[in-house]
């Protein structure tokens, strides 16, 4: 038995997570000559793309931009089979990256980090895992993901007598759904992908829908070799443009509502809608995020499309078409045949705003009016404790034994989403107040954040210093800036995981910075170029 107080290993950096960010962070720190130990609770690399193996899981960023852009050969020697590839292919891509960079030898899988405590006298962290590791490290770098702490809070789930599957940890080999009575709870981006994929396979599908969700149709062409060569040839151009756009996609807001006639607006919306991508959200009219009338008109445009697809059926429209928030102020998923599912004979839709789920029982799902929907398989796609959950579920203690879970339980504050006052040498990606998941192509944001961390550590070491920590004033200034930017948008008035509204008691704050990916990058670069004025470095 290992003595829990004796380090089993001493390293320069512990990296938490082996997904898109963790893999690249590990590579960069190793290139700098640091000894690094990465941990992941998953059985292999992939992060979100390892866990989310549910039917139909796929990108809704174009594969050719959801890429590492630091190495031309790495980019060009991988070719996607489709514009929006599915989860198995994505997992293979991350294994390809891992092997190319020889990362596996420094990653411990099936190992969950349970605690990380900072020792002020030594300026080092002690990181503990559920497998008995006790690692002494100078830097503790979190790449634990924005959407990796699943919410499983429906009463009675453990009593279900059939097969229960969480979308966030769906069985690797899948489930045999043929002929079965299957229920899906949740119609967010995940639920939509599951529902549209399994409807034709199951015997009967019952969808439990609470908050309605705008969704845009995806066009997902298969790539020929010529298509792959064409996008490969754009590598330099993509590397130049993507990091500087508002959302880290290749496209940017192209049109100004105020400059167009109603006919021109309609024409532009129709044309962009037909693209079959997230362009209508992220590259049409930026005013939709700031000006109520623009939001109202664009929302109505999307609602009209959804109503048509639902054949104007009053019950389907009431249950599935949002009316109480604007298009784009919650995360917009892409769908493929989703609305048509509800015209199938073998599909029933339950409106859980009218009649909420009361509990899960051995035989199925019981609603508040006592109705029981009997099921053989129940799939829960009920979302995540976004932004904070990955770290607050770990016992993280900073200076003076302060607890990150307690601090974020009161107020969610960070310095540029990259660090937290009171937690020296804790550096973070995909945490609140940096651009992430919402309005951001994740690979763009994660590459920038890991590169900033790498440079901060390199500079610190080059200067013969060993500890970096944000100042209280620097943090206050960032939080104020974040609030100002968020408060100017219509997103600030909504309720979704974007603002932590899906987790009871979670302090309300827009989790992602939405001042623009390019602007954020510039601010981070200035912080470094100016000698890190928002940090103390000793
Ligand atoms: P989500 O958007 O938070 O959706 C959770 C769903 O579960 C909502 O419909 C929610 O209803 C419902 N729900 C929760 N508790 C419920 C209850 N007790 N009764 C009935 N319904 C309940 O979570 P998600 O779909 O997993 O997506 C989270 C994020 O992951 C996305 O926004 C996206 O950023 C990311 N994602 C990305 C991709 C991709 O890139 N391809 C795919 C999937 C997910 P309410 O709305 O009423 O709370």
């Amino acid at each position: 038995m290992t003595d829990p107080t004796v380090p089993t290993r001493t390293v320069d950096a512990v990296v938490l997570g082996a997904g898109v960010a963790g893999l690249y962070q590990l590579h960069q720190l190793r290139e700098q000559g640091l000894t690094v130990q990465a941990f992941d609770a998953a059985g292999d690399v992939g992060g979100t793309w390892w866990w989310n193996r549910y039917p139909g899981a796929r990108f809704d960023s174009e594969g050719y931009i959801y890429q590492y852009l630091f190495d031309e050969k790495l980019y060009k020697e991988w070719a996607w089979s489709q514009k929006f590839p599915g989860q198995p292919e994505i997992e293979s891509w991350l294994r390809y990256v891992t092997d190319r960079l020889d990362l596996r030898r420094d990653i411990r899988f099936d190992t969950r980090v349970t605690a990380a405590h900072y020792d002020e006298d030594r300026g080092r962290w002690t990181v503990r895992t559920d497998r008995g590791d006790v690692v002494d490290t100078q830097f503790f770098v979190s790449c634990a993901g924005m959407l990796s702490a699943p919410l499983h809070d429906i009463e009675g789930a453990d009593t279900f007598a059939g097969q229960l599957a969480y979308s966030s940890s769906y069985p690797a080999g899948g489930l045999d759904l043929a002929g079965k009575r299957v229920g899906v709870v949740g119609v967010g981006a995940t639920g939509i992908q599951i529902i549209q994929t399994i409807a034709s396979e199951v015997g009967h599908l019952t969808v439990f829908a609470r908050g309605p969700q705008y969704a845009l149709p995806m066009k997902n062409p298969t790539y020929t070799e010529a298509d792959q060569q064409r996008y490969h040839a754009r590598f330099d151009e993509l590397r130049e443009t993507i990091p500087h756009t508002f959302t880290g996609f290749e496209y940017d807001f192209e049109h100004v509502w105020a400059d167009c006639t109603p006919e021109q607006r309609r024409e532009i919306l129709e044309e962009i809608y037909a693209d079959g991508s997230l362009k209508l959200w992220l590259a049409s009219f930026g005013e939709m995020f700031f000006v109520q009338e623009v939001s109202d008109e664009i929302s109505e445009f999307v609602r009209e499309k959804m109503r048509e697809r639902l054949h104007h059926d009053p019950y389907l429209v009431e249950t599935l078409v949002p009316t109480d928030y604007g298009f784009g102020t919650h995360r917009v998923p892409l769908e493929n045949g989703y609305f048509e599912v509800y015209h199938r004979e073998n599909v029933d839709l339950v409106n859980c705003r009218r009649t909420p789920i009361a509990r899960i029982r051995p035989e199925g799902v019981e609603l508040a009016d006592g109705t029981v929907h009997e099921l053989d398989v129940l799939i829960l796609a009920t979302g995540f404790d976004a932004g904070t959950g990955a770290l607050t579920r770990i016992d993280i203690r900073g200076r003076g034994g302060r607890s990150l879970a307690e601090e974020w339980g009161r107020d969610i504050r960070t310095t540029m989403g990259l660090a937290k006052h009171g937690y020296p040498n804790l550096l973070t990606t995909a945490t609140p107040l940096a651009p992430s998941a919402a309005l951001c192509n994740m690979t763009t944001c994660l590459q920038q954040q890991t590169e900033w961390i790498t440079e901060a550590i390199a500079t610190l070491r080059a200067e013969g210093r060993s500890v970096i920590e944000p100042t209280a004033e620097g943090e206050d200034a960032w939080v104020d800036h974040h609030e100002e930017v968020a408060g100017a948008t219509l997103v600030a008035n909504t309720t979704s995981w974007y603002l932590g509204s899906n987790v009871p008691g979670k302090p309300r704050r827009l989790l992602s910075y939405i001042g623009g990916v390019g602007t954020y990058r510039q601010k981070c670069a200035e912080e470094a170029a100016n000698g890190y004025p928002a940090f103390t470095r000793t």
Side-chain angles (χ1 to χ4, degrees):
M1 184 107 175
T2 319
D3 176 348
T5 58
V6 178
T8 48
R9 201 173 168 205
T10 298
V11 293
D12 297 318
V14 162
V15 170
L16 177 58
V20 170
L23 293 175
Y24 186 34
Q25 189 68 81
L26 166 59
H27 171 67
Q28 290 175 78
L29 293 177
R30 251 178 26 183
E31 289 285 286
Q32 215 187 95
L34 270 64
T35 50
V36 189
Q37 177 65 65
F39 290 107
D40 204 303
D44 202 349
V45 296
T48 200
W49 297 110
W50 190 88
W51 291 100
N52 288 275
R53 293 167 155 158
Y54 59 79
R58 66 177 60 252
F59 282 158
D60 52 18
S61 296
E62 293 78 0
Y64 58 84
I65 67 154
Y66 198 102
Q67 285 272 300
Y68 294 107
L69 294 174
F70 67 93
D71 181 331
E72 186 169 353
K73 275 181 81 174
L74 191 71
Y75 182 90
K76 290 189 172 172
E77 289 174 13
W78 179 265
W80 295 113
S81 68
Q82 283 178 297
K83 186 175 183 184
F84 299 102
Q87 180 274 338
E89 196 173 344
I90 302 165
E91 213 189 317
S92 303
W93 163 60
L94 286 165
R95 283 201 298 268
Y96 152 81
V97 171
T98 303
D99 294 341
R100 283 288 290 259
L101 302 176
D102 186 23
L103 299 175
R104 214 174 280 279
R105 62 188 157 90
D106 286 320
I107 309 171
R108 287 252 294 161
F109 297 107
D110 297 306
T111 306
R112 189 172 285 282
V113 169
T114 52
H117 293 183
Y118 183 67
D119 179 337
E120 253 172 279
D121 297 334
R122 299 171 56 242
R124 295 181 71 86
W125 287 87
T126 302
V127 175
R128 291 187 164 78
T129 75
D130 63 354
R131 305 210 355 177
D133 304 275
V134 181
V135 183
D136 176 59
T137 180
Q138 185 179 358
F139 299 102
F140 179 38
V141 185
S142 172
C143 296
M146 174 89 174
L147 293 154
S148 56
L151 292 172
H152 297 156
D153 56 0
I154 303 185
E155 186 193 325
D158 54 343
T159 68
F160 184 58
Q163 271 183 306
L164 182 71
Y166 295 101
S167 58
S168 53
S169 52
Y170 204 83
L175 290 173
D176 179 12
L177 303 177
K180 304 253 171 76
R181 296 168 304 171
V182 179
V184 175
V185 181
V187 291
T190 302
I192 286 175
Q193 291 185 332
I194 295 172
I195 292 160
Q196 69 192 16
T197 307
I198 66 171
S200 58
E201 179 189 344
V202 303
H204 187 272
L205 176 65
T206 309
V207 175
F208 298 88
R210 200 169 58 184
Q213 175 90 42
Y214 293 97
L216 295 174
M218 169 190 281
K219 280 191 186 154
N220 192 13
T222 299
Y223 278 164
T224 61
E225 223 175 294
D227 294 323
Q228 293 163 344
Q229 281 167 6
R230 242 190 312 277
Y231 87 68
H232 281 152
R234 294 182 60 210
F235 175 76
D236 288 332
E237 174 210 332
L238 292 170
R239 188 161 62 170
E240 283 308 304
T241 51
I242 290 171
H244 306 286
T245 62
F246 191 79
T247 55
F249 280 70
E250 69 182 304
Y251 34 75
D252 230 329
F253 296 108
E254 282 175 24
H255 307 282
V256 179
W257 188 263
D259 292 349
C260 299
T261 64
E263 294 71 31
Q264 286 169 330
R265 290 170 190 158
R266 179 82 199 189
E267 205 175 303
I268 290 166
L269 290 175
E270 290 286 3
E271 190 187 312
I272 297 182
Y273 181 85
D275 190 64
S277 68
L278 290 175
K279 256 183 143 180
L280 192 81
W281 181 32
L282 306 175
S284 60
F285 297 94
E287 292 119 302
M288 91 169 83
F289 296 103
F290 302 98
V291 184
Q292 189 63 55
E293 303 80 72
V294 178
S295 167
D296 290 347
E297 284 207 37
I298 296 178
S299 302
E300 185 48 26
F301 172 84
V302 179
R303 285 196 287 258
E304 191 184 309
K305 299 286 186 195
M306 291 168 67
R307 286 192 298 255
E308 276 168 23
R309 302 262 305 276
L310 293 169
H311 301 170
H312 298 277
D313 177 295
Y315 178 71
L316 296 182
V317 169
E318 181 205 324
T319 311
L320 295 172
V321 181
T323 50
D324 55 354
Y325 66 95
F327 171 74
T329 60
H330 294 189
R331 167 65 150 78
V332 179
L334 293 179
E335 55 75 32
N336 205 332
Y338 170 66
F339 294 108
E340 287 68 26
V341 160
Y342 296 101
H343 305 309
R344 295 180 62 92
E345 288 289 316
N346 70 334
V347 176
D348 280 331
L349 176 64
V350 175
N351 182 328
C352 295
R353 273 188 309 170
R354 275 196 198 172
T355 320
I357 293 175
R359 65 187 59 77
I360 296 169
R361 300 165 54 106
E363 60 273 40
V365 172
E366 180 183 335
L367 303 181
D369 65 3
T371 315
V372 177
H373 290 267
E374 294 190 6
L375 301 166
D376 304 311
V377 180
L378 177 58
I379 303 173
L380 298 180
T382 44
F384 298 87
D385 181 356
T388 53
L391 292 184
T392 56
R393 291 179 185 190
I394 298 171
D395 177 25
I396 296 179
R397 306 269 165 179
R399 269 190 298 107
R402 66 183 69 194
S403 152
L404 187 64
E406 282 172 24
E407 290 203 37
W408 277 354
R410 287 189 295 272
D411 189 7
I412 301 168
R413 305 175 77 79
T414 70
T415 300
M416 301 190 299
L418 294 165
K420 167 94 190 98
H421 175 65
Y423 300 81
N425 286 0
L426 167 65
L427 296 156
T428 57
T429 61
T431 32
L433 281 63
S436 192
L439 299 174
C440 174
N441 175 42
M442 279 307 275
T443 42
T444 310
C445 297
L446 294 174
Q447 283 176 89
Q448 181 265 332
Q449 290 168 27
T450 54
E451 284 167 4
W452 190 93
I453 288 169
T454 302
E455 189 190 334
I457 291 176
T459 309
L460 193 77
R461 283 160 45 94
E463 292 172 356
R465 304 178 205 235
S466 54
V467 178
I468 179 166
E469 181 192 349
T471 63
E473 300 72 36
E475 193 147 293
D476 290 346
W478 184 257
V479 174
D480 289 349
H481 169 66
H482 173 86
E483 286 297 287
E484 192 184 340
V485 171
T489 70
L490 299 170
V491 179
N493 307 321
T494 59
T495 51
S496 79
W497 68 257
Y498 271 17
L499 289 112
S501 320
N502 60 336
V503 181
K506 188 164 175 171
R508 187 174 166 84
R509 170 148 284 149
L510 184 60
L511 294 170
S512 286
Y513 176 73
I514 55 169
V517 170
T519 306
Y520 172 82
R521 165 182 288 270
Q522 199 181 328
K523 285 183 182 295
C524 291
E526 282 165 11
E527 177 66 24
N530 294 335
Y532 302 90
F535 292 78
T536 55
R537 297 175 318 125
T538 53

